[in-house]
Amino acid sequence: METHPESTHARVRRWASTKDAAAHIDRHPEVLRRWHRERTEHQWLPMPRRVGKNLLWDLDELDAAIDGQVDQQGIR
């Protein structure tokens, strides 16, 4: 009988441009840019990764942050 070590599947990160990430959360790209610029007011927002001049957002982290804000504010 062959045994396999426990699988260590790494999470596949879903990266998106600011435009695509904003569409994913149903917001205008400028809203996401403003939230990023105003970090002190939006500390819950995950940090994007900068690639050249572009920001790339992890969609799973963004979803979790938005869900956390909804849960914190009691919005359903």
Side-chain angles (χ1 to χ4, degrees), residues 11-37:
R11 178 175 72 92
V12 176
R13 297 178 92 170
R14 300 180 305 145
W15 294 102
S17 66
T18 299
K19 180 180 177 182
D20 292 339
H24 179 75
I25 61 171
D26 198 28
R27 295 290 180 262
H28 192 278
E30 190 52 41
V31 171
L32 192 53
R33 288 184 192 103
R34 179 172 39 87
W35 287 351
H36 179 64
R37 283 191 307 267

PDB file of all heavy atoms in Angstrom, residues 11-37:
ATOM      1  N   ARG A  11      -1.694  28.102  -1.061  1.00  0.00           N
ATOM      2  CA  ARG A  11      -2.835  28.867  -1.556  1.00  0.00           C
ATOM      3  C   ARG A  11      -2.425  29.569  -2.846  1.00  0.00           C
ATOM      4  O   ARG A  11      -1.375  30.211  -2.915  1.00  0.00           O
ATOM      5  CB  ARG A  11      -3.243  29.900  -0.505  1.00  0.00           C
ATOM      6  CG  ARG A  11      -4.390  30.773  -0.942  1.00  0.00           C
ATOM      7  CD  ARG A  11      -4.829  31.680   0.177  1.00  0.00           C
ATOM      8  NE  ARG A  11      -3.897  32.750   0.457  1.00  0.00           N
ATOM      9  CZ  ARG A  11      -3.969  33.964  -0.108  1.00  0.00           C
ATOM     10  NH1 ARG A  11      -4.905  34.245  -0.965  1.00  0.00           N
ATOM     11  NH2 ARG A  11      -3.091  34.888   0.210  1.00  0.00           N
ATOM     12  N   VAL A  12      -3.231  29.443  -3.841  1.00  0.00           N
ATOM     13  CA  VAL A  12      -2.986  30.129  -5.109  1.00  0.00           C
ATOM     14  C   VAL A  12      -3.556  31.531  -4.962  1.00  0.00           C
ATOM     15  O   VAL A  12      -4.743  31.715  -4.728  1.00  0.00           O
ATOM     16  CB  VAL A  12      -3.655  29.396  -6.295  1.00  0.00           C
ATOM     17  CG1 VAL A  12      -3.471  30.183  -7.575  1.00  0.00           C
ATOM     18  CG2 VAL A  12      -3.094  27.993  -6.421  1.00  0.00           C
ATOM     19  N   ARG A  13      -2.689  32.508  -5.071  1.00  0.00           N
ATOM     20  CA  ARG A  13      -3.125  33.887  -4.918  1.00  0.00           C
ATOM     21  C   ARG A  13      -3.701  34.398  -6.221  1.00  0.00           C
ATOM     22  O   ARG A  13      -3.169  34.142  -7.289  1.00  0.00           O
ATOM     23  CB  ARG A  13      -1.954  34.746  -4.467  1.00  0.00           C
ATOM     24  CG  ARG A  13      -1.443  34.296  -3.097  1.00  0.00           C
ATOM     25  CD  ARG A  13      -0.281  35.095  -2.668  1.00  0.00           C
ATOM     26  NE  ARG A  13      -0.789  36.218  -1.883  1.00  0.00           N
ATOM     27  CZ  ARG A  13      -0.019  37.022  -1.185  1.00  0.00           C
ATOM     28  NH1 ARG A  13       1.282  36.870  -1.204  1.00  0.00           N
ATOM     29  NH2 ARG A  13      -0.536  38.005  -0.492  1.00  0.00           N
ATOM     30  N   ARG A  14      -4.805  35.117  -6.090  1.00  0.00           N
ATOM     31  CA  ARG A  14      -5.458  35.717  -7.250  1.00  0.00           C
ATOM     32  C   ARG A  14      -5.130  37.205  -7.231  1.00  0.00           C
ATOM     33  O   ARG A  14      -5.632  37.934  -6.391  1.00  0.00           O
ATOM     34  CB  ARG A  14      -6.970  35.506  -7.182  1.00  0.00           C
ATOM     35  CG  ARG A  14      -7.370  34.052  -7.161  1.00  0.00           C
ATOM     36  CD  ARG A  14      -8.879  33.860  -7.105  1.00  0.00           C
ATOM     37  NE  ARG A  14      -9.447  34.573  -5.958  1.00  0.00           N
ATOM     38  CZ  ARG A  14     -10.632  35.169  -5.962  1.00  0.00           C
ATOM     39  NH1 ARG A  14     -11.386  35.158  -7.041  1.00  0.00           N
ATOM     40  NH2 ARG A  14     -11.098  35.787  -4.892  1.00  0.00           N
ATOM     41  N   TRP A  15      -4.279  37.640  -8.139  1.00  0.00           N
ATOM     42  CA  TRP A  15      -3.858  39.027  -8.210  1.00  0.00           C
ATOM     43  C   TRP A  15      -4.670  39.763  -9.257  1.00  0.00           C
ATOM     44  O   TRP A  15      -5.006  39.207 -10.301  1.00  0.00           O
ATOM     45  CB  TRP A  15      -2.381  39.127  -8.572  1.00  0.00           C
ATOM     46  CG  TRP A  15      -1.491  38.570  -7.506  1.00  0.00           C
ATOM     47  CD1 TRP A  15      -0.876  37.360  -7.508  1.00  0.00           C
ATOM     48  CD2 TRP A  15      -1.114  39.201  -6.286  1.00  0.00           C
ATOM     49  NE1 TRP A  15      -0.146  37.199  -6.359  1.00  0.00           N
ATOM     50  CE2 TRP A  15      -0.265  38.314  -5.596  1.00  0.00           C
ATOM     51  CE3 TRP A  15      -1.415  40.434  -5.706  1.00  0.00           C
ATOM     52  CZ2 TRP A  15       0.282  38.624  -4.358  1.00  0.00           C
ATOM     53  CZ3 TRP A  15      -0.864  40.738  -4.472  1.00  0.00           C
ATOM     54  CH2 TRP A  15      -0.032  39.842  -3.812  1.00  0.00           C
ATOM     55  N   ALA A  16      -4.971  41.033  -8.987  1.00  0.00           N
ATOM     56  CA  ALA A  16      -5.731  41.834  -9.939  1.00  0.00           C
ATOM     57  C   ALA A  16      -5.217  43.267  -9.918  1.00  0.00           C
ATOM     58  O   ALA A  16      -4.767  43.764  -8.881  1.00  0.00           O
ATOM     59  CB  ALA A  16      -7.213  41.808  -9.588  1.00  0.00           C
ATOM     60  N   SER A  17      -5.321  43.915 -11.057  1.00  0.00           N
ATOM     61  CA  SER A  17      -4.977  45.334 -11.153  1.00  0.00           C
ATOM     62  C   SER A  17      -5.987  46.132 -10.324  1.00  0.00           C
ATOM     63  O   SER A  17      -7.039  45.614  -9.922  1.00  0.00           O
ATOM     64  CB  SER A  17      -5.046  45.787 -12.605  1.00  0.00           C
ATOM     65  OG  SER A  17      -6.399  45.722 -13.053  1.00  0.00           O
ATOM     66  N   THR A  18      -5.691  47.397 -10.097  1.00  0.00           N
ATOM     67  CA  THR A  18      -6.615  48.252  -9.350  1.00  0.00           C
ATOM     68  C   THR A  18      -7.971  48.297 -10.048  1.00  0.00           C
ATOM     69  O   THR A  18      -9.019  48.195  -9.391  1.00  0.00           O
ATOM     70  CB  THR A  18      -6.033  49.670  -9.190  1.00  0.00           C
ATOM     71  OG1 THR A  18      -4.807  49.574  -8.451  1.00  0.00           O
ATOM     72  CG2 THR A  18      -6.990  50.588  -8.459  1.00  0.00           C
ATOM     73  N   LYS A  19      -7.968  48.421 -11.351  1.00  0.00           N
ATOM     74  CA  LYS A  19      -9.220  48.478 -12.109  1.00  0.00           C
ATOM     75  C   LYS A  19     -10.035  47.197 -11.916  1.00  0.00           C
ATOM     76  O   LYS A  19     -11.240  47.243 -11.632  1.00  0.00           O
ATOM     77  CB  LYS A  19      -8.923  48.697 -13.593  1.00  0.00           C
ATOM     78  CG  LYS A  19     -10.139  48.761 -14.464  1.00  0.00           C
ATOM     79  CD  LYS A  19      -9.755  48.973 -15.912  1.00  0.00           C
ATOM     80  CE  LYS A  19     -10.982  48.955 -16.805  1.00  0.00           C
ATOM     81  NZ  LYS A  19     -10.620  49.105 -18.221  1.00  0.00           N
ATOM     82  N   ASP A  20      -9.382  46.050 -12.037  1.00  0.00           N
ATOM     83  CA  ASP A  20     -10.086  44.773 -11.899  1.00  0.00           C
ATOM     84  C   ASP A  20     -10.480  44.494 -10.452  1.00  0.00           C
ATOM     85  O   ASP A  20     -11.550  43.946 -10.190  1.00  0.00           O
ATOM     86  CB  ASP A  20      -9.234  43.632 -12.446  1.00  0.00           C
ATOM     87  CG  ASP A  20      -9.067  43.712 -13.958  1.00  0.00           C
ATOM     88  OD1 ASP A  20      -9.895  44.365 -14.626  1.00  0.00           O
ATOM     89  OD2 ASP A  20      -8.090  43.139 -14.470  1.00  0.00           O
ATOM     90  N   ALA A  21      -9.630  44.868  -9.503  1.00  0.00           N
ATOM     91  CA  ALA A  21      -9.954  44.674  -8.089  1.00  0.00           C
ATOM     92  C   ALA A  21     -11.148  45.536  -7.686  1.00  0.00           C
ATOM     93  O   ALA A  21     -12.025  45.096  -6.945  1.00  0.00           O
ATOM     94  CB  ALA A  21      -8.741  44.994  -7.219  1.00  0.00           C
ATOM     95  N   ALA A  22     -11.184  46.759  -8.187  1.00  0.00           N
ATOM     96  CA  ALA A  22     -12.310  47.648  -7.898  1.00  0.00           C
ATOM     97  C   ALA A  22     -13.600  47.070  -8.483  1.00  0.00           C
ATOM     98  O   ALA A  22     -14.641  47.080  -7.822  1.00  0.00           O
ATOM     99  CB  ALA A  22     -12.039  49.041  -8.452  1.00  0.00           C
ATOM    100  N   ALA A  23     -13.544  46.550  -9.687  1.00  0.00           N
ATOM    101  CA  ALA A  23     -14.725  45.929 -10.287  1.00  0.00           C
ATOM    102  C   ALA A  23     -15.155  44.710  -9.476  1.00  0.00           C
ATOM    103  O   ALA A  23     -16.353  44.471  -9.283  1.00  0.00           O
ATOM    104  CB  ALA A  23     -14.427  45.531 -11.733  1.00  0.00           C
ATOM    105  N   HIS A  24     -14.182  43.978  -8.953  1.00  0.00           N
ATOM    106  CA  HIS A  24     -14.465  42.785  -8.149  1.00  0.00           C
ATOM    107  C   HIS A  24     -15.266  43.130  -6.895  1.00  0.00           C
ATOM    108  O   HIS A  24     -16.137  42.366  -6.483  1.00  0.00           O
ATOM    109  CB  HIS A  24     -13.134  42.111  -7.768  1.00  0.00           C
ATOM    110  CG  HIS A  24     -13.283  40.900  -6.928  1.00  0.00           C
ATOM    111  ND1 HIS A  24     -13.703  39.692  -7.439  1.00  0.00           N
ATOM    112  CD2 HIS A  24     -13.075  40.702  -5.601  1.00  0.00           C
ATOM    113  CE1 HIS A  24     -13.735  38.806  -6.460  1.00  0.00           C
ATOM    114  NE2 HIS A  24     -13.358  39.396  -5.343  1.00  0.00           N
ATOM    115  N   ILE A  25     -14.985  44.296  -6.287  1.00  0.00           N
ATOM    116  CA  ILE A  25     -15.722  44.706  -5.090  1.00  0.00           C
ATOM    117  C   ILE A  25     -16.820  45.712  -5.422  1.00  0.00           C
ATOM    118  O   ILE A  25     -17.392  46.331  -4.525  1.00  0.00           O
ATOM    119  CB  ILE A  25     -14.781  45.258  -3.993  1.00  0.00           C
ATOM    120  CG1 ILE A  25     -14.028  46.501  -4.466  1.00  0.00           C
ATOM    121  CG2 ILE A  25     -13.830  44.169  -3.513  1.00  0.00           C
ATOM    122  CD1 ILE A  25     -13.264  47.217  -3.373  1.00  0.00           C
ATOM    123  N   ASP A  26     -17.110  45.873  -6.694  1.00  0.00           N
ATOM    124  CA  ASP A  26     -18.189  46.727  -7.181  1.00  0.00           C
ATOM    125  C   ASP A  26     -18.002  48.187  -6.765  1.00  0.00           C
ATOM    126  O   ASP A  26     -18.921  48.835  -6.266  1.00  0.00           O
ATOM    127  CB  ASP A  26     -19.538  46.195  -6.697  1.00  0.00           C
ATOM    128  CG  ASP A  26     -20.693  46.756  -7.504  1.00  0.00           C
ATOM    129  OD1 ASP A  26     -20.490  47.088  -8.688  1.00  0.00           O
ATOM    130  OD2 ASP A  26     -21.799  46.875  -6.945  1.00  0.00           O
ATOM    131  N   ARG A  27     -16.793  48.681  -6.971  1.00  0.00           N
ATOM    132  CA  ARG A  27     -16.469  50.078  -6.695  1.00  0.00           C
ATOM    133  C   ARG A  27     -15.724  50.651  -7.889  1.00  0.00           C
ATOM    134  O   ARG A  27     -15.155  49.932  -8.697  1.00  0.00           O
ATOM    135  CB  ARG A  27     -15.578  50.215  -5.448  1.00  0.00           C
ATOM    136  CG  ARG A  27     -16.231  49.788  -4.160  1.00  0.00           C
ATOM    137  CD  ARG A  27     -17.311  50.779  -3.774  1.00  0.00           C
ATOM    138  NE  ARG A  27     -17.967  50.408  -2.546  1.00  0.00           N
ATOM    139  CZ  ARG A  27     -19.120  49.759  -2.475  1.00  0.00           C
ATOM    140  NH1 ARG A  27     -19.716  49.364  -3.560  1.00  0.00           N
ATOM    141  NH2 ARG A  27     -19.667  49.501  -1.316  1.00  0.00           N
ATOM    142  N   HIS A  28     -15.694  51.962  -7.971  1.00  0.00           N
ATOM    143  CA  HIS A  28     -14.930  52.648  -9.011  1.00  0.00           C
ATOM    144  C   HIS A  28     -13.453  52.539  -8.652  1.00  0.00           C
ATOM    145  O   HIS A  28     -13.092  52.607  -7.462  1.00  0.00           O
ATOM    146  CB  HIS A  28     -15.372  54.118  -9.085  1.00  0.00           C
ATOM    147  CG  HIS A  28     -14.854  54.823 -10.288  1.00  0.00           C
ATOM    148  ND1 HIS A  28     -13.579  55.355 -10.349  1.00  0.00           N
ATOM    149  CD2 HIS A  28     -15.420  55.059 -11.491  1.00  0.00           C
ATOM    150  CE1 HIS A  28     -13.395  55.900 -11.528  1.00  0.00           C
ATOM    151  NE2 HIS A  28     -14.497  55.738 -12.241  1.00  0.00           N
ATOM    152  N   PRO A  29     -12.569  52.390  -9.630  1.00  0.00           N
ATOM    153  CA  PRO A  29     -11.135  52.292  -9.324  1.00  0.00           C
ATOM    154  C   PRO A  29     -10.605  53.453  -8.481  1.00  0.00           C
ATOM    155  O   PRO A  29      -9.734  53.264  -7.628  1.00  0.00           O
ATOM    156  CB  PRO A  29     -10.470  52.257 -10.699  1.00  0.00           C
ATOM    157  CG  PRO A  29     -11.515  51.736 -11.607  1.00  0.00           C
ATOM    158  CD  PRO A  29     -12.817  52.227 -11.062  1.00  0.00           C
ATOM    159  N   GLU A  30     -11.141  54.647  -8.674  1.00  0.00           N
ATOM    160  CA  GLU A  30     -10.655  55.791  -7.903  1.00  0.00           C
ATOM    161  C   GLU A  30     -10.986  55.640  -6.415  1.00  0.00           C
ATOM    162  O   GLU A  30     -10.257  56.135  -5.562  1.00  0.00           O
ATOM    163  CB  GLU A  30     -11.214  57.106  -8.452  1.00  0.00           C
ATOM    164  CG  GLU A  30     -10.563  58.337  -7.853  1.00  0.00           C
ATOM    165  CD  GLU A  30      -9.025  58.332  -7.911  1.00  0.00           C
ATOM    166  OE1 GLU A  30      -8.455  57.921  -8.935  1.00  0.00           O
ATOM    167  OE2 GLU A  30      -8.400  58.742  -6.908  1.00  0.00           O
ATOM    168  N   VAL A  31     -12.071  54.957  -6.090  1.00  0.00           N
ATOM    169  CA  VAL A  31     -12.409  54.712  -4.683  1.00  0.00           C
ATOM    170  C   VAL A  31     -11.326  53.853  -4.043  1.00  0.00           C
ATOM    171  O   VAL A  31     -10.835  54.163  -2.953  1.00  0.00           O
ATOM    172  CB  VAL A  31     -13.791  54.041  -4.551  1.00  0.00           C
ATOM    173  CG1 VAL A  31     -14.052  53.593  -3.121  1.00  0.00           C
ATOM    174  CG2 VAL A  31     -14.889  54.972  -5.040  1.00  0.00           C
ATOM    175  N   LEU A  32     -10.926  52.791  -4.722  1.00  0.00           N
ATOM    176  CA  LEU A  32      -9.872  51.916  -4.201  1.00  0.00           C
ATOM    177  C   LEU A  32      -8.556  52.676  -4.093  1.00  0.00           C
ATOM    178  O   LEU A  32      -7.843  52.538  -3.099  1.00  0.00           O
ATOM    179  CB  LEU A  32      -9.728  50.683  -5.091  1.00  0.00           C
ATOM    180  CG  LEU A  32      -8.879  49.539  -4.567  1.00  0.00           C
ATOM    181  CD1 LEU A  32      -9.311  49.102  -3.184  1.00  0.00           C
ATOM    182  CD2 LEU A  32      -8.934  48.372  -5.542  1.00  0.00           C
ATOM    183  N   ARG A  33      -8.243  53.515  -5.066  1.00  0.00           N
ATOM    184  CA  ARG A  33      -7.020  54.329  -5.009  1.00  0.00           C
ATOM    185  C   ARG A  33      -7.070  55.293  -3.820  1.00  0.00           C
ATOM    186  O   ARG A  33      -6.083  55.473  -3.104  1.00  0.00           O
ATOM    187  CB  ARG A  33      -6.849  55.117  -6.307  1.00  0.00           C
ATOM    188  CG  ARG A  33      -6.457  54.281  -7.488  1.00  0.00           C
ATOM    189  CD  ARG A  33      -6.209  55.146  -8.727  1.00  0.00           C
ATOM    190  NE  ARG A  33      -6.115  54.317  -9.903  1.00  0.00           N
ATOM    191  CZ  ARG A  33      -7.081  54.163 -10.804  1.00  0.00           C
ATOM    192  NH1 ARG A  33      -8.221  54.825 -10.685  1.00  0.00           N
ATOM    193  NH2 ARG A  33      -6.913  53.372 -11.842  1.00  0.00           N
ATOM    194  N   ARG A  34      -8.236  55.917  -3.612  1.00  0.00           N
ATOM    195  CA  ARG A  34      -8.382  56.869  -2.501  1.00  0.00           C
ATOM    196  C   ARG A  34      -8.231  56.147  -1.166  1.00  0.00           C
ATOM    197  O   ARG A  34      -7.541  56.620  -0.265  1.00  0.00           O
ATOM    198  CB  ARG A  34      -9.734  57.572  -2.576  1.00  0.00           C
ATOM    199  CG  ARG A  34      -9.960  58.561  -1.452  1.00  0.00           C
ATOM    200  CD  ARG A  34     -11.216  59.401  -1.627  1.00  0.00           C
ATOM    201  NE  ARG A  34     -12.357  58.679  -2.167  1.00  0.00           N
ATOM    202  CZ  ARG A  34     -13.233  57.988  -1.420  1.00  0.00           C
ATOM    203  NH1 ARG A  34     -13.090  57.910  -0.118  1.00  0.00           N
ATOM    204  NH2 ARG A  34     -14.257  57.383  -1.993  1.00  0.00           N
ATOM    205  N   TRP A  35      -8.870  54.981  -1.032  1.00  0.00           N
ATOM    206  CA  TRP A  35      -8.728  54.208   0.206  1.00  0.00           C
ATOM    207  C   TRP A  35      -7.261  53.880   0.456  1.00  0.00           C
ATOM    208  O   TRP A  35      -6.794  53.938   1.588  1.00  0.00           O
ATOM    209  CB  TRP A  35      -9.518  52.915   0.116  1.00  0.00           C
ATOM    210  CG  TRP A  35     -11.010  53.054   0.206  1.00  0.00           C
ATOM    211  CD1 TRP A  35     -11.722  54.176   0.526  1.00  0.00           C
ATOM    212  CD2 TRP A  35     -11.967  52.032  -0.039  1.00  0.00           C
ATOM    213  NE1 TRP A  35     -13.062  53.901   0.492  1.00  0.00           N
ATOM    214  CE2 TRP A  35     -13.251  52.592   0.152  1.00  0.00           C
ATOM    215  CE3 TRP A  35     -11.877  50.691  -0.403  1.00  0.00           C
ATOM    216  CZ2 TRP A  35     -14.414  51.853   0.001  1.00  0.00           C
ATOM    217  CZ3 TRP A  35     -13.043  49.960  -0.561  1.00  0.00           C
ATOM    218  CH2 TRP A  35     -14.287  50.543  -0.349  1.00  0.00           C
ATOM    219  N   HIS A  36      -6.534  53.551  -0.601  1.00  0.00           N
ATOM    220  CA  HIS A  36      -5.111  53.219  -0.451  1.00  0.00           C
ATOM    221  C   HIS A  36      -4.295  54.448  -0.042  1.00  0.00           C
ATOM    222  O   HIS A  36      -3.403  54.350   0.803  1.00  0.00           O
ATOM    223  CB  HIS A  36      -4.574  52.631  -1.759  1.00  0.00           C
ATOM    224  CG  HIS A  36      -3.121  52.289  -1.706  1.00  0.00           C
ATOM    225  ND1 HIS A  36      -2.621  51.331  -0.861  1.00  0.00           N
ATOM    226  CD2 HIS A  36      -2.068  52.784  -2.386  1.00  0.00           C
ATOM    227  CE1 HIS A  36      -1.306  51.253  -1.021  1.00  0.00           C
ATOM    228  NE2 HIS A  36      -0.951  52.125  -1.956  1.00  0.00           N
ATOM    229  N   ARG A  37      -4.608  55.601  -0.605  1.00  0.00           N
ATOM    230  CA  ARG A  37      -3.890  56.835  -0.247  1.00  0.00           C
ATOM    231  C   ARG A  37      -4.192  57.254   1.195  1.00  0.00           C
ATOM    232  O   ARG A  37      -3.329  57.793   1.872  1.00  0.00           O
ATOM    233  CB  ARG A  37      -4.282  57.977  -1.185  1.00  0.00           C
ATOM    234  CG  ARG A  37      -3.659  57.927  -2.549  1.00  0.00           C
ATOM    235  CD  ARG A  37      -3.889  59.214  -3.320  1.00  0.00           C
ATOM    236  NE  ARG A  37      -5.275  59.623  -3.391  1.00  0.00           N
ATOM    237  CZ  ARG A  37      -6.123  59.310  -4.376  1.00  0.00           C
ATOM    238  NH1 ARG A  37      -5.703  58.557  -5.387  1.00  0.00           N
ATOM    239  NH2 ARG A  37      -7.367  59.745  -4.378  1.00  0.00           N
TER     240      ARG A  37
END
